[in-house]
Amino acid sequence: MINTAVSDEALAQAYLDARGDGYDVVMDYLWGRPSEILLRALVPRSFAFGRPTRVVQIGESAGAELALAGSSLRTSGVEIYGAAKGLDPGTMDEVFQQIVAWTRSGELTFDVEKVPLSEIETAWQRTDLRGRRLVVIP
């Protein structure tokens, strides 16, 4: 996981430091500023084509839009897909049923933090979840 609550320069460097031999697939729930900086960071610094990276745009919790430089597509090897590419109602049902089966069997687990609705204001401001999902219960 990469902390995106840093300066643009620090975030770009964190992406570069974490990439190793490159990213195969990036599941992007953020979009906006963090994605914009990632796409800039993937542009090669020399005259070489980058390793192909598939960015799957799933959510936009950091923003609905971003500025995309042409070089981010020409030389970075980036391919941008929407999360629903190639899905139809039948496929969506199959995928959903598979997730339910994995969850019931224990193969797929979710790290959750349950919070009563009466504490929603405090829970909304928490920054200590570290990958856990916040679940508000009545």
Side-chain angles (χ1 to χ4, degrees), residues 18-51:
R19 77 177 171 185
D21 292 334
Y23 297 107
D24 293 318
V25 178
V26 175
M27 305 301 285
D28 186 352
Y29 291 85
L30 301 177
W31 206 237
R33 175 188 163 269
S35 301
E36 187 173 314
I37 295 168
L38 170 67
L39 293 171
R40 269 189 267 145
L42 292 175
V43 175
R45 303 286 183 243
S46 64
F47 188 72
F49 290 98
R51 178 178 174 177

Side-chain angles (χ1 to χ4, degrees), residues 52-63:
T53 300
R54 181 175 292 175
V55 176
V56 181
Q57 199 283 323
I58 297 169
E60 52 189 40
S61 63

Side-chain angles (χ1 to χ4, degrees), residues 29-100:
Y29 291 85
L30 301 177
W31 206 237
R33 175 188 163 269
S35 301
E36 187 173 314
I37 295 168
L38 170 67
L39 293 171
R40 269 189 267 145
L42 292 175
V43 175
R45 303 286 183 243
S46 64
F47 188 72
F49 290 98
R51 178 178 174 177
T53 300
R54 181 175 292 175
V55 176
V56 181
Q57 199 283 323
I58 297 169
E60 52 189 40
S61 63
E65 299 177 2
L66 57 77
L68 180 64
S71 60
S72 291
L73 296 178
R74 283 193 310 270
T75 60
S76 67
V78 168
E79 301 170 353
I80 301 175
Y81 295 85
K85 180 180 177 4
L87 295 179
D88 59 42
T91 306
M92 286 296 290
D93 183 56
E94 288 177 39
V95 169
F96 177 75
Q97 294 305 324
Q98 182 63 65
I99 291 169
V100 169

Side-chain angles (χ1 to χ4, degrees), residues 1 6 8 12 34 48 95 130:
M1 291 189 40
V6 296
D8 290 2
V95 169
R130 298 257 182 229

